[in-house]
Structure formats: C-alpha cells, structure tokens
Amino acid sequence: MDLSKTEFRVSAHITAGYDVKEIASKFHRSYHTVASQIKTIRLKNKLKNLAEISREFVLEFGDPRHYIAMVFLIIQVGLFFNIEDDEYKRTRKTKIARTKIASKKHNG
C-alpha cells in the first residue's frame, strides 16, 4: 500500500474497527478531513471500500493493534524524555550561569 504517515494511521484505525467519527475525534480532526483521507487511500491504492483497506493493511503490515500499542508506548516514552530534556536544559543553563559568575569573580 502506498500511504503517507497520516494515511497509515487512519488505515490502522480503520482496520482496528474504529469508524470515521471515532478516528476524527481521536486525531482531533474534522469528520470531513478523515473522510477525505480515506477517499485518498482508496484512490491511491485502487480499493473500493473500508473492508478492502482493512484487508490490504493486514496483508501488508499485520495486526494494527500492535501498531496502535507501539504508538501509545512511543508517546509515553517521548513524554518521559521531554521532561528529562527540560531538566537537562535547566541544569545546563544553571551551570553556564554559575561559570560566568565564577569567571567574573576570578577576572574582576
């Protein structure tokens, strides 16, 4: 299947059994945006309906529940590391400020 990142996510959720309204709500998108993405998926891959999208997705990528669980895990890990990055940045700024103060005392 020829899919963009967003089309891949939409296809995975279709295959997992979500309807268009649920997908739109989950991605914070308009119903019409998701419907348009589904239409694009169908046209790009010469598919007729949602069942064919699901069939092709499973044949090419496997069970979508694994993908959805992995995305959830990546988001959780990303949130953890962003917190760590912010602490690192604060610590680094503090060290730089202390170094500048120390060098002023030493030079002046």
Side-chain angles (χ1 to χ4, degrees):
M1 290 180 78
D2 180 28
L3 302 171
S4 69
K5 290 178 186 178
T6 305
E7 292 167 351
F8 181 85
R9 291 174 56 203
V10 169
S11 296
H13 283 79
I14 288 169
T15 306
Y18 291 89
D19 69 357
V20 180
K21 287 182 182 178
E22 291 172 324
I23 296 169
S25 174
K26 191 165 187 150
F27 294 158
H28 305 288
R29 300 284 183 259
S30 162
Y31 169 87
H32 299 290
T33 302
V34 175
S36 175
Q37 290 168 339
I38 292 170
K39 183 178 179 180
T40 304
I41 293 167
R42 287 181 30 242
L43 292 174
K44 281 172 62 174
N45 296 288
K46 297 180 176 79
L47 303 171
K48 295 179 183 175
N49 53 36
L50 298 180
E52 287 190 3
I53 292 173
S54 297
R55 183 193 68 208
E56 291 298 318
F57 187 90
V58 169
L59 290 174
E60 190 159 338
F61 302 109
D63 189 358
R65 291 176 293 185
H66 298 294
Y67 161 75
I68 293 169
M70 185 60 71
V71 168
F72 179 75
L73 179 64
I74 289 169
I75 290 169
Q76 294 300 319
V77 169
L79 290 174
F80 174 76
F81 283 113
N82 281 340
I83 291 168
E84 293 295 322
D85 288 344
D86 289 342
E87 289 175 11
Y88 169 76
K89 289 175 187 173
R90 274 189 244 123
T91 305
R92 182 163 163 65
K93 286 179 183 177
T94 304
K95 287 179 183 176
I96 291 170
R98 287 182 187 157
T99 305
K100 287 180 180 177
I101 292 169
S103 66
K104 284 182 182 178
K105 286 180 181 178
H106 179 64
N107 292 335

